Amino acid sequence: MLSAFVKAEALVAGVLLAVIVVLVFAAGVMRWFGYPLVWSVDLAQLLFVWVSFLGADLALRRHAHIGIDYLVKRLPPRARTLLDVALALLLLAFLLAMTVLGYRLTMLNLERRFGDSGISYAFVTSAVPVGCLLLALTLSGQLVRALRSLRRAPQPVFVAARGGEGAP
Amino acid sequence: MTLLALVFFVLMLLGLPIAFAIGMAGFSFFVTNELMPVSIGVQQVATASQSFPLLAVPFFVLAGHMMNRTGITHRLIACSSVLVSWMAGGLAQVSIVLSTLMGGVSGSAVADAAMEARILGPGLIARGYSKGFTSAVIAISSLITATIPPSLGLILYGFVGNVSIGRLFLAGVVPGLLMMAVLMATVWAIARRRGYGAESAERPTLRAVGRAVADAKWALLFPVALLFAIRGGVFTPSEVGAFAVVYAGVVGFLLHRELSWAGMMEALGEAVVDTGMIMLIILFSGMVGYAIVFEQAPQSIAAAMAGLTREPLLVVAMILVFLFLAGLFVESTVLVLLLTPIFLPIVTPLGVDPVHFGILMMTIVTFGSMTPPVGVAMYTVCSLLDCPVEDYVVEALPFVAAVLALIVVLTLWPGLVLFLPNALM
């Protein structure tokens, strides 16, 4: 179930990125031939914010977001995991706050049009709450795994578990 | 503003990924500011994505991942090896030239360093180059990619500072080539003293050079084609990234016939993850950027600096020293995004060219990833080659001195950076 969701997420993000490339390339070529496509760049930008958040979530699953572990890697494993758990709880609160606030903002933006395209600006704004919710869900999973690991071999939240690739 | 900076540094040093540290720092500003509704902060995150030049980020990331699967890398290695392996310290010279050529394809210093450490590193060590020297050459030469077009850092600088990306690309060419020359001279001097020999006794024939260059022509032409596409007005600098992806596809599928559909899908998948990683930092820094403008941080820093000196050269020097120190601790993308809006408005009124400043800033900020304590390129290379960081640091010193000397030269003579963009754009 979860792996199907992750696969779908990766597929959607990849396809959207490919579509963005085609839209922007076509805009350049068509303008060269004297038929400018005004909407294609607007649409590309609108899709881009979605690719960004889906990609950010996929990156979080792979523990790919860069951080500085110069200091904390000197901590004993248990202390480091406890520190990571505390940070993750704080981050979870931030992401959920962004989700709620972003939802409210989206509702306010329903009427606002995006560029000349006639698409609601809410399509852009709604990427923020949806993206933050996805990040919060992924983070919760990693948080639970770190808490479980405390009983045996403590594993940090924000770095891939030692021994092989971080499980998605 | 103090709270924002404090939250950012504490969270970052505790190991929270930088994107989230920036997001929570920015959020703390909106939560604690009574005049500012929090929803404006959320709005800033959405707004940050709606800048057209930013689309260049996923495009160049994707083009880079595709290029890796088109057989361009091994052609460029063969080409560099024919060109310079006859010099003293032959293999180390190959690594430097390869960084320069790859800079025209990939645009990421860390990716270049990792690739060279895997492919060239073991060969150098086997020929008797010390581990420290090998790691230092590979890591520091990857700095060349930071200025050779297309450079992701310069795109971001152009985006935040509202500077012409086409001019920035052209301006990066000469500094990149000078960097290559300076590093090659350093390798030559060290290799002569230590007896690191050449790979082949004779210079290559014109014919061999011709064959190697012809074989790598599609890779070598790539940065040239990009500049022509921008200069010729077919694509705007923001659109040219889409052209880069199409170029990589044409080379991979039709000319080299080494890119498969499976490879294409892998490249898309990796590009999405990299894009998400970079974009999350950019999106969340939208909140911080708003706070910086609201609190008039550039004005107060400018006022403080004006109290010290108004001499443009000294101001730039002070900023560069600060950037160098900041670069030792903070990742280059983050510095470009957060500090460009502070420093660019300070130096522009003093008559400093934003393009010139951008090249200096990008070089010095990227340099931080080749030095302790948090250099990403350094750690990547040292861990791949199993080299102690202490050995790396000792062997890197002559190269660090060479790079800093070059930065001083580029600062004092803006013409070196600016004559190409002034002549062509």
Side-chain angles (χ1 to χ4, degrees):
Chain A
M1 172 61 196
L2 185 65
S3 72
F5 176 76
V6 176
K7 264 187 198 151
E9 187 182 26
L11 187 71
V12 170
V15 169
L16 286 181
L17 181 54
V19 170
I20 292 175
V21 173
V22 173
L23 283 171
V24 175
F25 187 74
V29 173
M30 293 305 280
R31 195 187 49 239
W32 179 252
F33 286 113
Y35 300 96
L37 305 172
V38 187
W39 49 269
S40 80
V41 166
D42 280 347
L43 189 59
Q45 257 171 273
L46 186 150
L47 297 178
F48 180 43
V49 67
W50 286 93
V51 172
S52 302
F53 271 110
L54 289 177
D57 187 40
L58 289 163
L60 184 64
R61 284 183 205 284
R62 294 194 198 177
H63 302 269
H65 287 288
I66 37 170
I68 295 177
D69 63 349
Y70 183 71
L71 291 177
V72 290
K73 73 179 173 200
R74 283 140 218 267
L75 290 174
R78 173 168 292 270
R80 177 160 187 200
T81 302
L82 287 172
L83 174 68
D84 264 15
V85 166
L87 285 174
L89 286 171
L90 209 59
L91 176 58
L92 203 58
F94 162 66
L95 290 171
L96 291 175
M98 290 294 284
T99 308
V100 174
L101 291 165
Y103 171 75
R104 283 193 208 146
L105 189 70
T106 307
M107 291 298 120
L108 284 176
N109 275 335
L110 277 178
E111 296 301 312
R112 189 174 153 196
R113 298 291 110 176
F114 180 84
D116 309 325
S117 55
I119 306 169
S120 168
Y121 194 74
F123 272 106
V124 175
T125 324
S126 57
V128 179
V130 174
C132 287
L133 188 62
L134 285 174
L135 288 167
L137 290 174
T138 306
L139 181 68
S140 313
Q142 294 175 344
L143 186 59
V144 169
R145 219 168 298 136
L147 283 171
R148 282 207 190 119
S149 78
L150 272 174
R151 259 181 268 158
R152 286 199 187 152
Q155 299 287 355
V157 181
F158 295 110
V159 184
R162 260 157 283 167
E165 293 281 293
Chain B
M1 206 62 206
T2 327
L3 176 74
L4 189 156
L6 196 72
V7 170
F8 172 63
F9 279 109
V10 168
L11 290 178
M12 184 177 70
L13 290 178
L14 290 178
L16 190 71
I18 289 171
F20 298 126
I22 289 181
M24 289 166 77
F27 194 68
S28 74
F29 169 80
F30 287 94
V31 171
T32 52
N33 192 313
E34 285 159 13
L35 298 172
M36 196 57 69
V38 190
S39 62
I40 297 218
V42 184
Q43 180 76 64
Q44 289 312 309
V45 176
T47 311
S49 71
Q50 296 308 305
S51 165
F52 190 41
L54 218 47
L55 276 173
V57 173
F59 292 162
F60 281 110
V61 167
L62 176 60
H65 281 298
M66 283 165 70
M67 289 286 188
N68 286 341
R69 292 178 170 74
T70 57
I72 272 177
T73 311
H74 69 81
R75 284 178 172 82
L76 287 179
I77 292 174
C79 180
S80 336
S81 158
V82 170
L83 285 174
V84 292
S85 63
W86 54 274
M87 294 180 187
L91 264 186
Q93 309 281 22
V94 170
S95 142
I96 293 173
V97 172
L98 181 61
S99 285
T100 315
L101 300 183
M102 283 303 289
V105 178
S106 89
S108 153
V110 178
D112 174 68
M115 180 277 288
E116 293 200 14
R118 278 197 201 95
I119 300 181
L120 296 180
L124 271 109
I125 293 169
R127 306 282 163 91
Y129 295 81
S130 77
K131 268 188 187 174
F133 180 80
T134 306
S135 313
V137 169
I138 289 179
I140 294 186
S141 68
S142 70
L143 180 59
I144 303 172
T145 53
T147 57
I148 297 275
S151 148
L152 206 52
L154 286 178
I155 295 172
L156 293 178
Y157 173 84
F159 152 68
V160 190
N162 206 5
V163 181
S164 153
I165 292 172
R167 279 177 64 86
L168 283 168
F169 274 7
L170 280 168
V173 175
V174 173
L177 294 177
L178 284 176
M179 182 85 69
M180 174 183 91
V182 167
L183 291 177
M184 285 177 76
T186 314
V187 163
W188 185 80
I190 296 173
R192 286 287 297 259
R193 229 183 20 202
R194 294 198 191 160
Y196 293 151
E199 290 307 303
S200 54
E202 289 154 35
R203 296 188 182 201
T205 57
L206 207 58
R207 192 181 206 162
V209 171
R211 206 180 311 126
V213 168
D215 201 32
K217 60 180 175 297
W218 298 117
L220 297 174
L221 278 176
F222 179 64
V224 181
L226 280 186
L227 290 174
F228 267 97
I230 296 178
R231 182 68 192 84
V234 188
F235 294 98
T236 64
S238 336
E239 289 167 351
V240 84
F243 165 73
V245 173
V246 173
Y247 185 97
V250 170
V251 171
F253 284 119
L254 302 178
L255 301 170
H256 288 171
R257 296 169 187 264
E258 288 187 34
L259 185 64
S260 61
W261 268 114
M264 179 69 215
M265 292 320 280
E266 277 170 36
L268 264 177
E270 284 167 19
V272 164
V273 171
D274 284 357
T275 303
M277 197 181 88
I278 302 170
M279 280 305 296
L280 195 65
I281 296 177
I282 297 178
L283 293 176
F284 281 154
S285 66
M287 289 195 281
V288 177
Y290 191 86
I292 288 175
V293 173
F294 184 79
E295 298 270 298
Q296 303 200 314
Q299 288 84 340
S300 35
I301 295 178
M305 286 183 112
L308 290 169
T309 172
R310 284 186 167 280
E311 169 63 33
L313 203 59
L314 281 178
V315 173
V316 171
M318 265 161 42
I319 293 177
L320 289 183
V321 169
F322 175 82
L323 286 175
F324 177 70
L325 296 176
L328 296 178
F329 299 98
V330 186
E331 220 275 324
S332 60
T333 321
V334 181
L335 285 182
V336 170
L337 288 171
L338 297 187
L339 297 182
T340 305
I342 294 185
F343 287 139
L344 196 55
I346 296 180
V347 297
T348 329
L350 298 174
V352 178
D353 189 296
V355 172
H356 179 220
F357 183 71
I359 300 291
L360 296 175
M361 177 164 176
M362 236 4 261
T363 310
I364 208 145
V365 157
T366 315
F367 196 37
S369 74
M370 283 109 212
T371 56
V374 292
V376 186
M378 175 190 77
Y379 279 122
T380 312
V381 172
C382 284
S383 72
L384 284 170
L385 295 179
D386 194 23
C387 167
V389 172
E390 297 80 23
D391 294 5
Y392 171 90
V393 171
V394 173
E395 295 275 17
L397 283 177
F399 296 101
V400 172
V403 170
L404 290 179
L406 178 65
I407 292 176
V408 170
V409 169
L410 291 175
T411 311
L412 292 175
W413 285 282
L416 282 174
V417 180
L418 293 174
F419 88 87
L420 203 56
N422 285 346
L424 293 177
M425 275 191 97

